[in-house]
Amino acid sequence: MTIPVDILKHRHAKLAAALQSAGLEAIALNPGPSLHYLTGIEFHLSERPVVCLFRAEGAPVLVLPELESAKSRNLPYELQAFTYPENPREWLNAYEKAVQAAGLRASAGKVGVEDRVLRLLEYRLLKQAAPEADWVNAENAVASLRMYKDAAEQAAMQKAVDVAQKALEATLPLVKIGMTENEVSAELMMQTLRHGSGKPPFEPIVAAGPENTANPHYFPQGRKLAAGELLLVDWGASHDGYYSDLTRTFAIGEVSAELQKIHQAVQDANAAAHAIAAPGVTCGAVDKVARDVIEAAGYGKYFTHRLGHGLGMEGHEEPYMRGDNTLPLEEGMTFTIEPGIYISGTGGVRIEDDVVVTAGGLRSFSDMPREMRVVG
Amino acid sequence: MTIPVDILKHRHAKLAAALQSAGLEAIALNPGPSLHYLTGIEFHLSERPVVCLFRAEGAPVLVLPELESAKSRNLPYELQAFTYPENPREWLNAYEKAVQAAGLRASAGKVGVEDRVLRLLEYRLLKQAAPEADWVNAENAVASLRMYKDAAEQAAMQKAVDVAQKALEATLPLVKIGMTENEVSAELMMQTLRHGSGKPPFEPIVAAGPENTANPHYFPQGRKLAAGELLLVDWGASHDGYYSDLTRTFAIGEVSAELQKIHQAVQDANAAAHAIAAPGVTCGAVDKVARDVIEAAGYGKYFTHRLGHGLGMEGHEEPYMRGDNTLPLEEGMTFTIEPGIYISGTGGVRIEDDVVVTAGGLRSFSDMPREMRVVG
């Protein structure tokens, strides 16, 4: 999305405050959602190292390849750009100039980075350019901004959910016994684009049968849909750079009472989490209420992952809905609720929704039926 | 693609030899193409750190989340796996065990990493687990294997090119004056999937008009197609994890003599590179022959990037077709030939093909017409 200049400037001011309170001289960001969030510029993460340095005061300083220099021109805010030509031996020179311009060349202070995004490629250049600086993980500095979605961001996420739901509804009538997981996945991805999605955030996980559905991070491997088994679909869409990430689990024809019981337990856990999540409730407490439901049903040890994760410009981001996370929810936070039960040899069920914390409690972006529907 | 076990074992043996000749005790790979190439296992790059340690002798050692542990079971080769639960405080413990098992816990030797893929997230854990080791960039160790594509890999790339070309041919009749760049991009992506592509390697670059076509790494921003302007389409498909990456530039209606001249110069440069590339010719020499054509036409300073890049499991990989690259081409190497001329305010032209070096010279996977076709 094109980010209005006043929103960019507001974010710069909030980041500056976050840097100051964290005792950071600057933060160095390479291509990824945080860089886009703060600059409005889109870069691919490539073999050419790109870094932008943000400080508490002064314009951001960007290092980028000459051939992308157009991206640093005619911006609606001040930015200092240093470019390098195609020969990698020229990279360090540009990094040294940028670090100098940012006042970090001889600094022995703390400079923040995002451990989860910054690669050794950029890190080694930064370290050579500012050898005395202390490069510390400061993911929270940007995450603490990005975690709160404004109205435009929430609208984009709602749209990404709407598109994804419509795409699956358009796909379901085409799902037949004998199709492969991969055929369902391809059809769903096509429907996702047809319904107006940007580049899908990930290839749909379409898992069928007692082993594949029980593998939470499965990649489709060609199993054919067979009657009496489960079909798990984990899919998403994007709109203006914001993601949806949903899961529903279906019965292929009629399934056993045990599979129905498992599905019901997951559905109840999902509902319990929706019911409790609200401002002031901790992430851990939301995880616990869902986990308690599944434990009471006798399946506790088969709920092998956290309840959910933050969602926005990334498929997984802050806040993480983990039992040990004492962060209290606040208005504008967006995350997934996705309890699951995975029994290898029997089957796996997950029901995943995307939600936003509101003043009054919680609003679910997703509203597709959660009960076990029959396909095939 | 499911990689046959004999091919995986062959790759392990070649990697072991590469490690020994580079004086490396091991190489540590996180999720990305190299890890998949060597293990056959697919991982998303996520907030949960995954690393596999390969040594010159002994089974690979993998650290992964418990919830993905199914991926490390029933493999057709020996592998030692260490898992961690959902709490990030448990990560280091698993890393320490893995590093111990790989014999690196107290090592002061060199351990290779891929600077372009490894993040600080994994690097800090590895460093804490083996504090004396010297973590050196060893991208070449795996790149030197991956650079040579075997018959199955070449067949997958040919398929990825075929699918992409068919998708663009199906899109072109729908392209009309007044459509936006983004509408063309969405239609092309849908056609790419309809023609059998896996997840497209990147969102198509569809650029229209005198400014946007002149920005080599443009992202579509809604400009409407107008008569007398250029339309540049840079797109790709995937098949079994292998990519295509192509560009063609079209005239929207009739365009000026200057734009025609620019297009002809790029087309001639593309042809010159095709004609010279063969075993023994250096990457730099191929770049030079194309650059000479564009310089002779008077546009040298507007060809702002290298001639091309390796292509395979990544959009950009070794070998890079850069003027200063003295690497001689060898049979099985695959790369792009993509000369371009970019004149801001006038327009930009790029013609990109995907090719493989053969015993006799070069084979082009792509064969769509390269002359300037008229659309709209």
Side-chain angles (χ1 to χ4, degrees):
Chain A
M1 91 169 58
T2 303
I3 307 170
V5 60
D6 56 325
I7 292 200
L8 286 172
K9 287 187 173 167
H10 179 63
R11 290 175 182 174
H12 292 175
K14 282 179 79 173
L15 178 64
L19 294 178
Q20 273 183 325
S21 81
L24 297 169
E25 295 201 19
I27 189 165
L29 301 176
N30 65 322
S34 293
L35 185 63
H36 180 59
Y37 182 84
L38 288 163
T39 63
I41 311 174
E42 294 187 84
F43 286 102
H44 285 295
L45 187 69
S46 84
E47 72 281 12
R48 298 181 181 96
V50 170
V51 162
C52 192
L53 297 159
F54 293 87
R55 295 167 289 165
E57 287 186 29
V61 179
L62 178 68
V63 196
L64 76 169
E66 263 171 26
L67 82 152
E68 301 196 67
S69 60
K71 293 181 181 177
S72 64
R73 286 195 291 267
N74 304 319
L75 294 171
Y77 55 88
E78 204 192 335
L79 178 140
Q80 261 192 290
F82 295 90
T83 65
Y84 52 78
E86 284 290 59
N87 188 333
R89 279 191 289 271
E90 304 292 330
W91 291 347
L92 181 60
N93 183 31
Y95 272 77
E96 284 175 344
K97 284 182 192 161
V99 160
Q100 177 81 43
L104 300 172
R105 190 84 172 95
S107 162
K110 283 187 191 175
V111 183
V113 295
E114 292 182 317
D115 274 17
R116 199 153 57 75
V117 183
L118 196 76
R119 304 173 299 180
L120 282 185
L121 175 64
E122 296 94 5
Y123 176 65
R124 293 205 212 253
L125 287 162
L126 289 168
K127 231 176 117 130
Q128 274 186 273
E132 302 304 321
D134 185 13
W135 302 89
V136 301
N137 187 14
E139 284 171 353
N140 280 347
V142 190
S144 65
L145 274 65
R146 284 179 43 201
M147 204 155 48
Y148 304 94
K149 271 70 174 182
D150 65 25
E153 293 178 288
Q154 290 184 30
M157 291 183 69
Q158 180 67 65
K159 180 82 196 210
V161 167
D162 291 346
V163 163
Q165 294 193 149
K166 282 180 192 155
L168 185 60
E169 289 293 2
T171 303
L172 289 178
L174 310 170
V175 171
K176 301 289 172 212
I177 289 169
M179 276 175 86
T180 66
E181 297 165 335
N182 302 64
E183 285 165 350
V184 176
S185 174
E187 180 64 35
L188 175 54
M189 194 150 51
M190 211 157 76
Q191 293 290 352
T192 303
L193 292 171
R194 178 171 298 157
H195 284 80
S197 174
K199 186 177 177 182
F202 56 93
E203 222 161 334
I205 299 176
V206 175
E211 290 299 341
N212 301 353
T213 54
N215 180 351
H217 281 188
Y218 180 70
F219 285 75
Q221 277 164 16
R223 185 181 173 91
K224 288 187 177 175
L225 274 54
E229 297 187 345
L230 294 177
L231 174 69
L232 184 152
V233 181
D234 185 339
W235 83 113
S238 75
H239 184 78
D240 277 349
Y242 285 79
Y243 291 160
S244 56
D245 181 5
L246 303 164
T247 307
R248 291 291 184 270
T249 308
F250 302 90
I252 308 170
E254 202 173 324
V255 300
S256 71
E258 186 184 8
L259 291 178
Q260 292 180 38
K261 186 182 162 206
I262 291 170
H263 192 284
Q264 190 62 52
V266 174
Q267 195 179 324
D268 293 345
N270 176 296
H274 274 88
I276 196 187
V281 178
T282 67
C283 295
V286 183
D287 178 278
K288 185 172 187 308
V289 74
R291 204 165 297 278
D292 285 349
V293 170
I294 287 176
E295 272 169 15
Y299 295 109
K301 71 170 176 165
Y302 300 109
F303 180 12
T304 48
H305 57 69
R306 63 193 175 202
L307 178 67
H309 51 77
L311 182 71
M313 301 176 80
E314 283 182 287
H316 292 180
E317 59 180 49
E318 301 278 353
Y320 292 103
M321 307 306 287
R322 248 187 5 246
D324 65 328
N325 190 351
T326 56
L327 181 78
L329 293 175
E330 290 183 62
E331 206 179 329
M333 289 182 178
T334 51
F335 58 91
T336 68
I337 291 177
E338 48 175 314
I341 295 174
Y342 310 95
I343 309 177
S344 182
T346 300
V349 172
R350 181 167 61 254
I351 304 175
E352 178 179 20
D353 286 296
D354 302 338
V355 300
V356 56
V357 180
T358 60
L362 199 73
R363 183 163 64 86
S364 189
F365 291 127
S366 46
D367 60 0
M368 264 186 96
R370 296 177 186 91
E371 66 268 20
M372 186 157 63
R373 294 155 77 183
V374 175
V375 297
Chain B
M1 85 168 64
T2 304
I3 307 170
V5 60
D6 56 326
I7 292 201
L8 286 172
K9 287 186 172 169
H10 179 63
R11 291 175 182 174
H12 293 175
K14 282 179 79 174
L15 178 65
L19 294 178
Q20 274 182 324
S21 82
L24 297 169
E25 294 201 19
I27 189 165
L29 301 176
N30 65 322
S34 293
L35 184 64
H36 179 61
Y37 182 85
L38 289 163
T39 63
I41 312 174
E42 294 188 85
F43 286 102
H44 285 293
L45 187 68
S46 84
E47 71 281 11
R48 299 181 182 95
V50 170
V51 162
C52 192
L53 297 159
F54 294 87
R55 296 166 290 165
E57 285 186 28
V61 180
L62 178 67
V63 196
L64 75 169
E66 263 172 26
L67 83 153
E68 302 195 65
S69 61
K71 294 181 181 177
S72 65
R73 287 194 291 265
N74 305 319
L75 294 171
Y77 55 88
E78 203 191 336
L79 178 139
Q80 263 191 290
F82 296 90
T83 65
Y84 52 77
E86 284 290 57
N87 187 332
R89 280 190 289 270
E90 304 292 330
W91 291 348
L92 182 59
N93 183 31
Y95 273 77
E96 284 174 345
K97 284 183 191 158
V99 160
Q100 176 82 44
L104 300 172
R105 190 85 172 95
S107 162
K110 283 187 192 175
V111 183
V113 294
E114 292 182 317
D115 275 16
R116 202 153 55 74
V117 184
L118 196 76
R119 302 173 300 181
L120 282 185
L121 175 65
E122 296 93 4
Y123 177 64
R124 294 206 213 252
L125 287 162
L126 289 167
K127 233 177 115 128
Q128 273 186 275
E132 302 303 321
D134 183 14
W135 302 89
V136 300
N137 187 13
E139 284 173 352
N140 280 347
V142 190
S144 66
L145 276 65
R146 285 178 43 200
M147 203 155 49
Y148 304 95
K149 271 72 175 182
D150 65 24
E153 293 178 286
Q154 290 184 30
M157 290 183 69
Q158 180 68 65
K159 181 82 196 210
V161 167
D162 291 347
V163 163
Q165 294 193 148
K166 282 179 192 153
L168 185 61
E169 289 292 2
T171 303
L172 288 179
L174 309 171
V175 172
K176 300 291 173 210
I177 289 169
M179 276 176 85
T180 66
E181 297 164 338
N182 302 64
E183 285 165 351
V184 175
S185 175
E187 180 65 35
L188 176 54
M189 195 151 51
M190 210 158 77
Q191 293 289 351
T192 303
L193 292 169
R194 177 171 298 158
H195 284 82
S197 174
K199 185 177 177 184
F202 56 94
E203 220 161 335
I205 298 176
V206 176
E211 288 300 339
N212 301 352
T213 55
N215 179 349
H217 281 189
Y218 179 69
F219 285 75
Q221 277 163 17
R223 186 183 173 89
K224 288 188 176 174
L225 273 54
E229 297 186 345
L230 295 176
L231 174 70
L232 184 152
V233 182
D234 185 339
W235 83 113
S238 75
H239 184 79
D240 277 350
Y242 285 80
Y243 292 161
S244 56
D245 181 6
L246 303 164
T247 307
R248 291 292 184 267
T249 306
F250 302 90
I252 308 170
E254 201 172 322
V255 300
S256 70
E258 187 184 7
L259 291 178
Q260 292 180 37
K261 186 184 162 202
I262 291 170
H263 192 284
Q264 189 62 51
V266 174
Q267 195 179 323
D268 293 346
N270 176 297
H274 274 88
I276 197 186
V281 177
T282 67
C283 295
V286 182
D287 177 278
K288 183 171 188 308
V289 74
R291 205 165 296 278
D292 285 350
V293 170
I294 287 176
E295 272 168 16
Y299 296 108
K301 71 169 176 167
Y302 300 109
F303 180 10
T304 48
H305 57 69
R306 64 195 175 202
L307 179 66
H309 51 77
L311 182 71
M313 302 175 80
E314 283 180 287
H316 292 178
E317 59 180 49
E318 300 277 353
Y320 292 103
M321 307 307 284
R322 246 186 9 242
D324 64 328
N325 191 350
T326 56
L327 181 79
L329 293 175
E330 288 185 64
E331 207 178 329
M333 289 183 180
T334 50
F335 58 91
T336 68
I337 291 178
E338 49 175 312
I341 295 174
Y342 310 95
I343 309 178
S344 182
T346 300
V349 171
R350 180 165 64 252
I351 304 175
E352 178 179 19
D353 284 296
D354 301 339
V355 301
V356 55
V357 180
T358 61
L362 199 74
R363 182 163 64 85
S364 188
F365 292 127
S366 46
D367 60 1
M368 264 186 96
R370 295 176 187 90
E371 64 269 17
M372 186 160 60
R373 293 155 77 183
V374 176
V375 297

